[in-house]
Amino acid sequence: MSRRLHDALTHHLNPLHLYCRLRDLGLPTSLARSLTRSYERALYRPLTGPVAG
């Protein structure tokens, strides 16, 4: 996978990006936050691996 494609996917699959798009669609804050948390736990973390820190 090219670096450019990887960077684009990383950006668009980021939970914060998803949250902002859900809010742009008019979802209430609590619902957008809940959906984003579920997405992050179920898909994003397993795909990206552990965060160093």
Side-chain angles (χ1 to χ4, degrees):
M1 180 181 323
S2 74
R3 179 70 178 167
R4 192 173 197 176
L5 178 59
H6 178 267
D7 289 346
L9 285 174
T10 301
H11 171 74
H12 289 289
L13 296 176
N14 185 302
L16 180 58
H17 182 83
L18 176 64
Y19 171 79
C20 292
R21 299 299 67 84
L22 292 172
R23 292 290 295 140
D24 286 347
L25 291 172
L27 268 66
T29 301
S30 59
L31 180 57
R33 189 177 297 154
S34 176
L35 290 172
T36 303
R37 277 190 197 133
S38 297
Y39 160 76
E40 182 177 10
R41 289 181 186 138
L43 297 173
Y44 188 76
R45 284 185 192 171
L47 289 175
T48 58
V51 177

